Amino acid sequence: MSSIKSTMQITRTMEMISTARIHKALVRAEEAEPYKDAITRMLANVAEAGFSTEQPLLARHLTEKHVLFIVVASDKGLAGGFNIVQQRAVEAEMRRLKARGVRSSLITCGRKPTEYFTYRKMTPVMSFVGISSEPNQDQADRIASYVMRGYATGEIDRVVIYYWHARNRVEQTQVVEQLLPISKEQLTMPNKPREREALTTVERHAYTDFAFDPSAEEVLGELMPAYFRTVIFHALLDSAAAEHGARRRAMQSATDNAREVLDTLERTYNRVRQGSITTELNEIIGGASALEDN
């Protein structure tokens, strides 16, 4: 009982810490949304005027030989299935691709996925540890640069990102989205409700009276790098908020379970103690009766 009480104090403290941190993380992700929405809207308007597959980042490769996965998880555990769900999903997809003769590689964000895949001889080409709860723009820039360079040179044929979207303080949703190749339909499709982040469409207004100098195709090519850096950075921020939410929920569940176990042990202890007292009383009464008879 003493051990469980000590454990319950730890889980309760971790729950309170995550509750305090999730607010800050959600605010940070929300503050990044206006810029992401603005550049997405701008990109959509330019794509309406001129979408050219001659741009390296807009060209679709004829064959798929190499797929890059970006796995965004956490540095620490004790967050329920936050890490393991992502890791197993990516591992299963990599096995399916291997069966088809398609090579795959990884970029991991978080100590847990880095250790998971390294242990399984799937060493990431790039990894980031120690900053899962406080991601920075430099991390997103480095990932985006590697992705765009690899896709433009033909070394990478498809890029998929896995992360968790924090819908609110309680609920997290797994997101699997394809960053590259990106089609004109993805950039200019009709509006959809904001249920998932990253490539989710926003409200867009097409302006056909713009005059582009240089051409709209060249402007689109210049906007793409900024767009990818912004999308990846927002995914990292979103995942950080989801991490705190998942850990808060896991620690709350652990605290509740510990309390139930403690209640059960207390009832058992009280029954045994009561039984012991009853036995002692019976022995005393029996001894007193024997003395009276003598």
Side-chain angles (χ1 to χ4, degrees):
M1 289 168 60
S2 176
S3 175
I4 291 175
K5 286 179 180 178
S6 177
T7 302
M8 190 167 63
Q9 288 178 348
I10 295 173
T11 57
R12 177 58 179 165
T13 301
M14 293 183 67
E15 177 190 348
M16 294 172 65
I17 292 173
S18 295
T19 301
R21 289 180 175 176
I22 190 174
H23 174 71
K24 179 181 177 182
L26 283 171
V27 168
R28 194 178 179 198
E30 290 171 359
E31 288 177 346
E33 283 184 9
Y35 180 77
K36 180 182 71 72
D37 291 349
I39 196 169
T40 302
R41 188 179 300 112
M42 185 185 304
L43 197 70
N45 291 329
V46 177
E48 288 281 3
F51 185 93
S52 174
T53 55
E54 294 181 1
Q55 291 287 345
L57 294 178
L58 298 177
R60 185 177 292 272
H61 299 175
L62 298 178
T63 58
E64 185 176 277
K65 299 179 180 179
H66 181 197
V67 178
L68 174 67
F69 294 97
I70 304 173
V71 187
V72 185
S74 69
D75 292 315
K76 301 177 182 178
L78 300 177
F82 186 84
N83 293 302
I84 196 64
V85 170
Q86 298 284 63
Q87 292 160 183
R88 288 179 177 173
V90 173
E91 186 179 15
E93 184 62 24
M94 292 177 71
R95 287 176 178 171
R96 282 192 289 268
L97 291 173
K98 186 177 181 180
R100 290 168 40 201
V102 179
R103 185 166 64 93
S104 56
S105 58
L106 292 159
I107 293 178
T108 55
C109 302
R111 181 173 283 106
K112 288 297 181 180
T114 301
E115 293 176 348
Y116 180 90
F117 289 107
T118 301
Y119 178 78
R120 286 160 176 74
K121 311 301 181 184
M122 304 176 187
T123 305
V125 296
M126 184 182 292
S127 60
F128 301 87
V129 298
I131 54 176
S132 67
S133 60
E134 293 288 341
N136 53 57
Q137 186 66 56
D138 178 66
Q139 179 184 359
D141 291 348
R142 289 174 60 187
I143 295 173
S145 296
Y146 182 90
V147 166
M148 292 185 293
R149 182 172 60 252
Y151 190 85
T153 58
E155 297 177 4
I156 300 171
D157 301 305
R158 183 159 60 94
V159 180
V160 183
I161 185 170
Y162 284 70
Y163 69 99
W164 288 95
H165 164 49
R167 296 174 65 91
N168 48 52
R169 294 170 181 266
V170 178
E171 186 179 0
Q172 300 82 41
T173 306
Q174 186 184 30
V175 179
V176 180
E177 290 186 334
Q178 180 174 298
L179 295 181
L180 285 169
I182 186 169
S183 64
K184 182 178 180 179
E185 288 72 22
Q186 284 178 277
L187 295 177
T188 59
M189 62 171 48
N191 301 331
K192 288 185 176 181
R194 181 184 294 283
E195 295 180 351
R196 304 196 311 180
E197 293 302 317
L199 298 181
T200 302
T201 58
V202 297
E203 182 183 0
R204 291 165 183 167
H205 305 283
Y207 299 99
T208 57
D209 56 346
F210 280 139
F212 293 94
D213 184 22
S215 65
E217 290 80 3
E218 293 182 62
V219 173
L220 186 63
E222 293 294 327
L223 283 175
M224 289 300 290
Y227 171 73
F228 281 116
R229 286 193 293 268
T230 303
V231 163
I232 293 173
F233 183 50
H234 195 271
L236 296 175
L237 294 175
D238 205 358
S239 178
E243 175 188 346
H244 294 307
R247 183 168 293 110
R248 186 204 64 80
R249 185 171 60 179
M251 291 299 97
Q252 182 183 34
S253 178
T255 302
D256 293 341
N257 292 338
R259 188 175 291 110
E260 290 179 5
V261 172
L262 187 61
D263 291 342
T264 301
L265 290 176
E266 284 179 345
R267 286 194 296 269
T268 303
Y269 172 78
N270 290 334
R271 281 198 302 267
V272 172
R273 180 171 173 269
Q274 186 63 44
S276 176
I277 293 173
T278 302
T279 301
E280 291 179 2
L281 288 174
N282 289 334
E283 291 175 350
I284 292 171
I285 295 171
S289 299
L291 290 174
E292 290 177 358
D293 292 340
N294 292 333

